[in-house]
Amino acid sequence: MKIIVLRGDPRQEYATQELIALGYSAYLTSPGEAVMTGDILLLPTPATSDGVHLNTRVENPPCILPLILAGPARVFGGGFSSDTVAEVRRSGREITDFLALPSFVRENAFLTAEAALGVGMQACGASYRGLPVAVIGYGRIAAPLTRFLTLLGARVKVFARREESRLEAKLDGAEPYDLPALRGHLPGTRLIFNTVPACLLTPPILAGLRDCAIVELASGRENIAPPRKEAGVTLTYAHSLPGKIFPKSAGVIIARTLDQTMQKEGYTAS
């Protein structure tokens, strides 16, 4: 089975290597030089950053939809819009969005949590042992991140909306609080990981922070008010960590998820 892999970040290169190891005929190529004949087209994840153009490291990247419609009948990638998915399926092609697959999202979240540990240490310049840390949210990224932090000796407070999440956080060794408690219990924290895509760190809450590093793991730059630099509060945006920190591991996950999906559909690599 022949797979055309379009270049994006280094994950695509490692995905190609893993696909070959799994028995596929996989070819890594750039859009301008792509020979679009094959059984499967593997696009980057996310496939587009603006909803229109391919997410790739070339000048003047092509529009993603015409590229897909000129290629193989089976398409993989991540972050497709609903309009793109509908248009591709109207053409008679089948498209799989990795970011809609729970297994892929879970594996990716685990890598994100692991990578966030390094970002956090660099941001605050301190060891985790005895460090007062706050984690906002308790979803796919925050839960493994909290477990890592407690194992490393951090004193972790978790702020979560759902009671079940707070109970889970307590069982994982953290001190749980509801979101309204942010203003009263966040001061004194040296490092904050935000995983909630909402503006919870408002100016009144930030006003109580001193000598604190904030790591923003949720998508969007509107989640956090501007930090008070004179108080020693810093803000680090840490998005797309698996591709930046662990491209090999992330590429392997992409390849194996594709392979597992094809096997469920009754296809094999050969």
Side-chain angles (χ1 to χ4, degrees):
M1 188 170 287
K2 182 178 178 181
I3 302 178
I4 305 299
V5 183
L6 292 189
R7 294 183 189 276
D9 59 39
R11 287 177 293 178
Q12 294 294 88
E13 299 175 27
Y14 290 113
T16 303
Q17 294 174 15
E18 181 66 13
L19 287 167
I20 292 172
L22 290 169
Y24 292 91
S25 297
Y27 301 87
L28 181 66
T29 183
S30 297
E33 62 189 33
V35 178
M36 302 295 283
T37 56
D39 303 295
I40 297 172
L41 175 63
L42 175 57
L43 299 169
T45 300
T48 177
S49 57
D50 61 6
V52 177
H53 299 93
L54 181 70
N55 182 23
T56 187
R57 297 176 179 179
V58 298
E59 284 191 50
N60 303 314
C63 292
I64 188 170
L65 187 55
L67 185 70
I68 293 174
L69 297 182
R74 192 66 175 87
V75 182
F76 285 85
F80 300 111
S81 69
S82 57
D83 288 343
T84 296
V85 171
E87 190 67 29
V88 170
R89 286 180 174 159
R90 273 195 293 269
S91 74
R93 290 167 171 79
E94 183 52 46
I95 184 169
T96 294
D97 190 331
F98 289 132
L99 299 182
L101 300 178
S103 60
F104 179 87
V105 172
R106 183 172 57 251
E107 293 279 357
N108 217 46
F110 192 90
L111 286 185
T112 300
E114 193 173 354
L117 292 173
V119 175
M121 283 191 291
Q122 187 172 23
C124 72
S127 165
Y128 282 121
R129 186 178 300 176
L131 189 72
V133 180
V135 177
I136 302 175
Y138 214 67
R140 297 186 189 93
I141 296 172
L145 175 58
T146 297
R147 296 179 193 120
F148 289 148
L149 289 166
T150 56
L151 285 172
L152 290 170
R155 295 186 286 115
V156 185
K157 294 179 180 179
V158 167
F159 297 84
R161 178 180 57 84
R162 297 174 63 246
E163 183 178 355
E164 299 93 319
S165 297
R166 296 195 296 273
L167 176 59
E168 183 181 352
K170 184 176 181 179
L171 293 173
D172 287 335
E175 190 176 340
Y177 295 94
D178 200 351
L179 292 177
L182 279 166
R183 188 168 184 176
H185 291 275
L186 212 51
T189 302
R190 291 284 312 284
L191 176 62
I192 299 170
F193 292 98
N194 179 56
T195 68
V196 177
C199 188
L200 299 177
L201 295 177
T202 58
I205 291 176
L206 293 178
L209 300 178
R210 298 287 186 279
D211 189 22
C212 179
I214 303 170
V215 177
E216 166 61 17
L217 295 171
S219 58
R221 290 182 172 263
E222 307 300 324
N223 296 334
I224 300 173
R228 299 170 61 247
K229 295 182 180 179
E230 66 276 12
V233 180
T234 63
L235 174 58
T236 301
Y237 291 100
H239 302 154
S240 305
L241 288 181
K244 295 174 182 176
I245 308 298
F246 303 125
K248 184 172 184 178
S249 297
V252 168
I253 290 172
I254 288 171
R256 291 181 180 176
T257 302
L258 185 154
D259 178 53
Q260 290 163 8
T261 302
M262 294 305 295
Q263 285 190 43
K264 288 179 182 177
E265 295 177 4
Y267 296 96
T268 59
S270 58

